Each structure stands twice: as C-alpha cells, then as structure tokens.
Amino acid sequence: MRTISLVLGLLAGVVLLPERAVADVASRPSSDRPNAMYLDIGMDGALMTGRLGYARALGTGSAAPTWVFADAAIPLLQPDFGDFSLRAGARVHLLRLGGFELPLQAAVQVRGTENVSFMARGLGTELGAMPGWYGERWLLAAELSWDRQWLTYLEPTAEHRSRIYADARSGWYGASADTLRAGVRAGLLSSGRFELLLRAGYEVHGRYDAMLPPLYAMVSANVRF
C-alpha cells in the first residue's frame, strides 16, 4: 500500500497549482518608473487562474537591466487559499541588438494544494527565455520555459486513512513533475505607465497531460510607477 502514497505524492507534484509562467512585466526595465504591479488572468494549469505581483527594476543604467519580482496565484473559479502558488525571482535583459533582446529568467516557487485525500506543499524552480523584439511601445517575442517540482511534502488526511489506507504516512518526495512550455507573447505599452500583454502557447506535463489542459492563454496588465 506504500505505492498508493507514492502515487499521491507524484500527483501532488502535478496538481499543485502550476503557475508555470514567466513574470509579466514584459517591457525593458527603466529608471523613470522602476516599480510595477501586475495582474494576470487566464488559463494556466487551472481553467481560470489569477496572479498578482510586484516587480522592481535594478541596474537600469547597465548593459543588463534586471527585474526582480514576487507574486502569488490562486484558482478563480472556486477561490481556495489552500491551493496557491508563491514565486520570487529575477529576469535579466541581455543581448540587445537593435530591437532584439534575450531576457532570461530564474525563479523559485512554493506551491500548495489540499483536498479530501491529502495536503501537499512543494518547492520548485522555473527557468525561462523570451527572445524577441522589444520596441518602445510594443513587443513580440517567443516564450520558452522549464518548470520542475523538486520536493513535495505529502500529508494524507484522516478521510484517506479511514477509507483507503490506515497506515498512510506523511513524508517528503523527490522530483515529481516537469513542465516544458513553448509559446508567444505580444505586448502594447500604451504609455510609459500602462502595459497590456497577451500570452498563449503549448505545454507538456509528461504522463499527466490528460489531467491538465495542454494549452495556456493569459491576459496580463501592469501599471508602472
């Protein structure tokens, strides 16, 4: 019966709210308005996900200006703070050739989920690249990312122990989920203060593709100040 707990651990690594998206202040960091608040809504792991975040521009006078950011996400159709994603990281804008840039991003993520069978908390990382054309008022870029769930803590509920397996134990599981993503992003900076971004693409969850939609589509808005 230990296999049942192992399967639950693997599932937890996948169904933890999979906020697997690069941070959505898409334009280049600037010194005149170095702060940004962003809001994302759309299909991203859950049928309707909402994410709210803050970003700060650093090194705007250097050859590699950087956004540092932190955000939180929950499902919106049935809001439940037991299902969440917390993330923090940085994006560096490199290789500026005319309008072409190569932003690279790395982030650490903490995810959680709860249901009738188990409670799970997970730790993962996200690596991403967004090569494309970044103008003063618009952008068009590819979106590539790799998300890995490195550790998952699983705690079966009393309901699970009473109905399925009385000796189910809590514990840590190793790497349990990977997601690869490829898509496009198009953005419009209507002024120096407001930005609208559309993102869509295909993602691969591995053996659990049938459990989650293989596509994502998000609308993002941010305000700079």
Side-chain angles (χ1 to χ4, degrees):
M1 298 299 291
R2 175 67 175 172
T3 302
I4 294 177
S5 293
L6 177 59
V7 170
L8 285 178
L10 293 173
L11 288 174
V14 176
V15 302
L16 290 173
L17 183 68
E19 186 47 45
R20 294 178 293 254
V22 289
D24 291 335
V25 182
S27 55
R28 188 178 181 83
S30 63
S31 58
D32 54 343
R33 292 186 175 92
N35 302 287
M37 295 290 297
Y38 55 92
L39 175 65
D40 309 337
I41 297 176
M43 184 178 72
D44 190 8
L47 290 180
M48 188 64 70
T49 296
R51 175 167 29 128
L52 181 65
Y54 168 77
R56 170 75 180 181
L58 301 175
T60 54
S62 69
T66 300
W67 285 112
V68 293
F69 61 88
D71 54 43
I74 62 171
L76 294 180
L77 289 182
Q78 294 181 325
D80 181 356
F81 290 100
D83 289 333
F84 65 87
S85 171
L86 303 175
R87 184 180 58 165
R91 177 196 298 165
V92 182
H93 283 244
L94 297 173
L95 192 65
R96 192 174 189 182
L97 300 174
F100 182 84
E101 294 186 26
L102 177 59
L104 299 178
Q105 179 168 304
V108 176
Q109 304 180 77
V110 176
R111 301 183 181 123
T113 191
E114 297 179 11
N115 57 40
V116 69
S117 293
F118 62 88
M119 179 277 292
R121 299 291 184 263
L123 177 65
T125 56
E126 170 195 276
L127 299 176
M130 293 133 281
W133 286 264
Y134 292 77
E136 292 185 3
R137 290 290 182 265
W138 62 274
L139 68 95
L140 181 63
E143 184 172 275
L144 307 169
S145 69
W146 171 50
D147 173 25
R148 163 155 281 213
Q149 187 75 20
W150 293 100
L151 289 171
T152 300
Y153 177 78
L154 176 69
E155 183 176 322
T157 62
E159 182 80 5
H160 176 85
R161 290 189 175 98
S162 65
R163 293 179 176 271
I164 299 178
Y165 182 41
D167 295 326
R169 297 180 180 179
S170 303
W172 288 93
Y173 295 86
S176 57
D178 289 274
T179 297
L180 298 176
R181 164 175 287 180
V184 295
R185 51 174 42 207
L188 176 65
L189 191 63
S190 61
S191 68
R193 189 177 296 272
F194 298 103
E195 183 177 78
L196 181 66
L197 179 69
L198 302 177
R199 303 171 42 251
Y202 181 79
E203 58 188 14
V204 179
H205 310 298
R207 73 181 68 183
Y208 297 109
D209 277 355
M211 298 176 58
L212 297 170
L215 303 175
Y216 68 93
M218 301 287 290
V219 177
S220 303
N222 70 66
V223 58
R224 305 272 287 272
F225 56 96

